[in-house]
Amino acid sequence: MSPFRSFVVVSLNQIARNYRNVCSVVGPQVEVVGVVKADAYGHGALEVARVLVAEGARWLAVSSVDEGVSLRCGGIREARGPDQLRILVMGGFLSYERRALVEHDLTPVVHSLAQMRDLDRLAEASQKPIAFHLKIDSGMGRLGTRAASGEILATLADLRCARLEGLMTHFASAADYTSTQTDDQIAYFRTVCADLRAAGVNALRLHTSSTNAIGYGRTEGNMVRAGHALYGYVSPARGDAPRQRLSVKPALTWKARLLAVKEIPEGALVGYGGTFRAPRTMRIGVVGAGYADGMFHRLSNRGKVIADGKLTSILGTISMDLTTIDLSHTNILGPGDEVTLLGTEGDARLDAQQIARVAGTISYNILCSISARVKRVYQS
């Protein structure tokens, strides 16, 4: 029994199984990058990275230089075999982070021609060639260059010490088959790649696809970036989509303990603002987790948890540290007993996508919002 009032249990075996499933779907000729940004979507970056490396991953991806440095300082250096474990920094870098890129052997994603030139000066000053991946903004309108192929080629020709290793883009709507946006992005990216190839520039790595594109078969190039799939989720498709190819399962269960259980009379008000009025005599439980732990405030009077193997309602307004639930269906549970906020218990199931639909958000947001004060417990 875990001695915490609120904790998540992460199945490292399930993450390994999910990684293997991604590898089997994309095939042996495609490199799978394990995305461990945002503390591995709330699962614990160091612990997940160790699992992926043990499974044979040669690439990990993070958002920031800080995240990459944390992995290196945590001992994430060698891949299985003689290879250096590569860490791709997808979210770019700021001027004061340049030295850390070199010192910790991080591979930056570059988003502009100016940044290519900056990186080249850094490589020259460091007397160390730096490989980078150039991100093409193919239509998402976020990070990445929109420069014409000729401008990219001219900048590449001027580089002395930085070396183009990869070309990449990111899809905005990979699971949406009611839109042509992904097809348009693929066409744009292919054109840039073809223009560079015609000029003699052949990037070693080409990658466009993250979890949703992998799941629905929209993969380009010889590398994919698996994030959400590692943790057990693929977004449902919109429109006339092909069959979803991945077979992954959630790796995280979130539990919290009851702090109090009591009876309230008909007409009693519950929580801040008295937003719930008991329609009858009820048995209620106060759970030791609130919005500071990652319980979305929008689940007030709308969400569910699992108690004694049954889905039951959240009553009243979720507060910072506490959530009140209906326990009228059971007399078994008392203070100190666990309820399930996310996961399975008996035949009842509550995953991040179900919670997200009620909270008006996405499953990524649910997982990444489980706060640091919720203890992480790891199981093999």
Side-chain angles (χ1 to χ4, degrees):
M1 186 171 74
S2 298
F4 309 118
R5 68 167 54 196
S6 181
F7 60 97
V8 297
V9 179
V10 178
S11 169
L12 299 178
N13 279 342
Q14 186 60 56
I15 288 172
R17 285 191 290 271
N18 291 342
Y19 174 78
R20 291 195 293 268
N21 181 250
V22 174
C23 292
S24 69
V25 165
V26 300
Q29 304 306 312
V30 177
E31 191 86 49
V32 177
V33 183
V35 181
V36 294
K37 64 179 181 174
D39 200 30
Y41 295 37
H43 292 66
L46 272 174
E47 291 78 3
V48 171
R50 291 181 185 122
V51 169
L52 298 179
V53 171
E55 287 295 318
R58 294 185 297 177
W59 285 82
L60 301 175
V62 296
S63 179
S64 67
V65 173
D66 278 350
E67 289 182 338
V69 170
S70 293
L71 290 180
R72 291 296 194 214
C73 291
I76 306 301
R77 295 195 172 275
E78 302 294 331
R80 197 170 66 186
D83 296 331
Q84 170 81 2
L85 190 284
R86 304 289 297 279
I87 298 177
L88 188 68
V89 180
M90 299 189 296
F93 59 93
L94 298 169
S95 59
Y96 63 86
E97 297 174 317
R98 293 172 188 163
R99 287 289 170 189
L101 282 173
V102 177
E103 292 172 7
H104 296 278
D105 294 314
L106 305 177
T107 302
V109 172
V110 169
H111 302 111
S112 70
L113 305 186
Q115 203 170 49
M116 289 168 61
R117 293 187 286 268
D118 288 343
L119 193 67
D120 192 51
R121 287 190 288 270
L122 173 63
E124 189 169 15
S126 304
Q127 297 184 319
K128 182 177 180 180
I130 300 176
F132 67 92
H133 291 215
L134 177 63
K135 186 170 188 178
I136 306 300
D137 178 4
S138 59
M140 187 167 184
R142 204 175 58 173
L143 291 175
T145 182
R146 293 286 291 185
S149 299
E151 295 176 281
I152 294 172
L153 286 165
T155 304
L156 287 171
D158 289 339
L159 301 183
R160 294 163 56 87
C161 297
R163 175 175 60 87
L164 176 70
E165 179 185 31
L167 288 169
M168 63 179 288
T169 195
H170 188 60
F171 296 142
S173 307
D176 186 357
Y177 283 79
T178 68
S179 165
T180 64
Q181 186 175 16
T182 302
D183 292 334
D184 295 341
Q185 287 191 256
I186 290 171
Y188 187 99
F189 184 73
R190 284 177 176 171
T191 297
V192 174
C193 291
D195 289 345
L196 269 59
R197 195 162 47 245
V201 175
N202 293 288
L204 181 64
R205 302 291 184 188
L206 300 176
H207 49 114
T208 64
S209 303
S210 54
T211 288
N212 290 336
I214 298 166
Y216 297 105
R218 287 175 152 176
T219 53
E220 294 278 314
N222 56 9
M223 180 178 267
V224 295
R225 307 179 300 270
H228 214 28
L230 298 180
Y231 312 110
Y233 294 91
V234 181
S235 297
R238 296 177 61 195
D240 187 16
R243 182 181 61 85
Q244 204 281 103
R245 303 186 302 167
L246 291 170
S247 179
V248 294
K249 294 180 181 179
L252 180 150
T253 298
W254 183 9
K255 291 183 177 287
R257 296 190 186 282
L258 290 163
L259 303 180
V261 175
K262 59 185 178 183
E263 301 277 336
I264 59 172
E266 179 182 348
L269 301 178
V270 174
Y272 283 120
T275 60
F276 178 83
R277 184 183 294 274
R280 60 188 179 281
T281 298
M282 298 180 71
R283 190 169 191 257
I284 64 170
V286 181
V287 180
Y291 59 74
D293 303 281
M295 292 290 290
F296 272 64
H297 194 265
R298 288 192 66 182
L299 295 174
S300 301
N301 286 313
R302 302 173 66 191
K304 303 280 188 182
V305 304
I306 306 173
D308 191 21
K310 305 259 185 214
L311 287 167
T312 192
S313 296
I314 292 172
L315 307 179
T317 302
I318 293 172
S319 51
M320 183 180 292
D321 312 299
L322 305 170
T323 299
T324 304
I325 63 172
D326 185 5
L327 290 180
S328 300
H329 67 285
T330 179
N331 291 314
I332 293 174
L333 298 179
D337 289 332
E338 298 172 3
V339 298
T340 301
L341 309 181
L342 189 162
T344 59
E345 188 180 314
D347 293 330
R349 182 171 183 266
L350 192 60
D351 67 28
Q353 289 177 338
Q354 292 170 286
I355 296 169
R357 283 192 288 272
V358 178
T361 185
I362 56 176
S363 53
Y364 302 74
N365 193 188
I366 298 297
L367 295 173
C368 292
S369 294
I370 301 174
S371 76
R373 81 173 183 179
V374 178
K375 305 300 182 184
R376 270 60 175 175
V377 177
Y378 294 95
Q379 293 183 345
S380 298

